[in-house]
Amino acid sequence: MKSNFELPIETVPLSELVRRGELLSADCPSREVLKHVTSRWGVLVLMVLLDEKTCRFSDLRRKVDGVSEKMLAQTLQWLAADGFVVRTSYDVVPPHVDYRLTPLGDEVARQVSSLADWIEVNLSRILSARTEPANASGHV
Amino acid sequence: MKSNFELPIETVPLSELVRRGELLSADCPSREVLKHVTSRWGVLVLMVLLDEKTCRFSDLRRKVDGVSEKMLAQTLQWLAADGFVVRTSYDVVPPHVDYRLTPLGDEVARQVSSLADWIEVNLSRILSARTEPANASGHV
DNA sequence: CAGTATCCAACGCGATACTG
DNA sequence: CAGTATCGCGTTGGATACTG
């Protein structure tokens, strides 16, 4: 049986939309998208592209501290395959390739960056909460 | 040299805050937080807890389709250690344990859910964009 | 019910080397 | 510059079995 995941949203019964049932089901394609977007390097690449508008491969390598060539390439391929990023190669020597967000990618990037910003802004609150005994060991 | 990551935000030089430099540096503690929050099951657990207010272990297992006991336990420990989730155990037989968001956890959960909602709402747009030839193969 | 412990398979991911 | 190819280790993470 084919699920209604790939149907236009308007044709999906409203009852199945009311509350997120999609991501919670293991076989929903949205799990894949979520995986790419929230992957270790996916988040950071989207953040950078949102700021920079357009970036070369080596720019991204430098900005995203710690990423290897392999993982950067793979991450960019995922994001491109999902329609979030466009790759443009200029036919010159030495090679020149640009990456930029699509309109769709711009939207996810904003979501992701919003989360990232929250973490950065609240980092000290989080680190404080961390060291606490985690409480709740006290039985009720 | 100790970085200023753990200092209260007010004491950090403004120049280092202007644009997110934290998550982009490999050794920033925020990377860890991001990892927990955007982990495969972390996202889904936060979503459920945001909706349900309070949940038992087995509730979460059932709602988060596909998660194993091991990974659910580990994810909850991460989120609890970061101060996003509280674990409350009632001393009865059979055992009864509740999980709920802290105020801090509520804030991240909203961020994460916002991203998740975006994906669910735009899934059909994404799946459409996916099949396209990814364009950009055309040299410029 | 709410986990922990153990084993093991899959793969995420970095290091290195090579190519157009 | 912008990658791909290959190797290999460490971690992730599922399945199963056991415990308070």
Side-chain angles (χ1 to χ4, degrees):
Chain A
M1 181 193 89
K2 260 308 169 130
S3 52
N4 50 30
F5 289 137
E6 47 234 88
L7 296 177
I9 198 167
E10 303 79 19
T11 72
V12 178
L14 185 62
S15 58
E16 303 183 16
L17 276 182
V18 275
R19 221 50 204 141
R20 55 179 74 94
E22 305 188 8
L23 267 172
L24 292 180
S25 22
D27 58 336
C28 178
S30 56
R31 284 264 177 113
E32 270 300 292
V33 178
L34 184 70
K35 180 181 172 185
H36 298 161
V37 161
T38 63
S39 69
R40 181 170 178 192
W41 306 114
V43 177
L44 304 177
V45 166
L46 288 173
M47 282 173 56
V48 170
L49 287 179
L50 186 62
D51 277 5
E52 301 297 323
K53 293 304 169 197
T54 168
C55 257
R56 304 180 61 164
F57 189 85
S58 49
D59 288 339
L60 285 166
R61 266 219 78 182
R62 244 171 289 111
K63 301 246 181 188
V64 179
D65 189 21
V67 71
S68 65
E69 291 191 354
K70 177 182 171 183
M71 291 315 298
L72 179 55
Q74 184 171 117
T75 301
L76 286 170
Q77 283 170 14
W78 284 339
L79 296 178
D82 285 341
F84 294 141
V85 163
V86 225
R87 195 195 106 115
T88 312
S89 78
Y90 302 88
D91 211 350
V92 296
V93 281
H96 182 140
V97 177
D98 276 344
Y99 293 92
R100 60 180 175 78
L101 295 173
T102 64
L104 200 63
D106 191 80
E107 293 183 36
V108 238
R110 284 179 201 284
Q111 295 289 336
V112 164
S113 286
S114 173
L115 169 61
D117 286 346
W118 185 92
I119 292 180
E120 294 190 344
V121 169
N122 294 279
L123 185 57
S124 60
R125 284 174 72 200
I126 299 169
L127 295 183
S128 309
R130 252 190 182 174
T131 55
E132 287 166 13
N135 127 358
S137 339
H139 300 293
V140 182
Chain B
M1 181 191 92
K2 259 311 168 123
S3 52
N4 51 30
F5 288 137
E6 46 235 272
L7 296 176
I9 198 168
E10 304 79 20
T11 72
V12 178
L14 185 62
S15 57
E16 302 184 16
L17 276 180
V18 275
R19 220 48 205 146
R20 56 180 74 95
E22 305 189 7
L23 267 172
L24 291 180
S25 21
D27 57 336
C28 178
S30 56
R31 285 261 178 116
E32 271 300 291
V33 178
L34 184 70
K35 180 182 171 184
H36 298 160
V37 161
T38 62
S39 69
R40 181 170 179 192
W41 306 112
V43 177
L44 304 176
V45 166
L46 288 174
M47 282 174 57
V48 170
L49 287 179
L50 187 62
D51 276 5
E52 300 296 324
K53 292 306 168 196
T54 167
C55 257
R56 303 180 60 164
F57 188 85
S58 48
D59 289 339
L60 285 166
R61 266 220 77 182
R62 242 171 291 111
K63 301 245 180 190
V64 179
D65 189 22
V67 70
S68 66
E69 293 191 351
K70 179 183 171 182
M71 290 317 297
L72 180 55
Q74 184 171 116
T75 301
L76 286 170
Q77 283 169 15
W78 285 340
L79 296 178
D82 285 342
F84 295 140
V85 163
V86 224
R87 196 195 105 115
T88 314
S89 79
Y90 302 89
D91 210 350
V92 295
V93 281
H96 183 140
V97 177
D98 275 343
Y99 293 91
R100 61 180 174 76
L101 294 173
T102 63
L104 199 64
D106 191 81
E107 293 182 36
V108 238
R110 285 179 200 285
Q111 295 288 336
V112 164
S113 287
S114 173
L115 169 62
D117 286 346
W118 185 92
I119 293 179
E120 294 190 345
V121 168
N122 294 279
L123 185 57
S124 60
R125 283 174 72 199
I126 299 169
L127 294 183
S128 308
R130 253 189 181 173
T131 54
E132 288 166 13
N135 126 358
S137 339
H139 301 291
V140 182

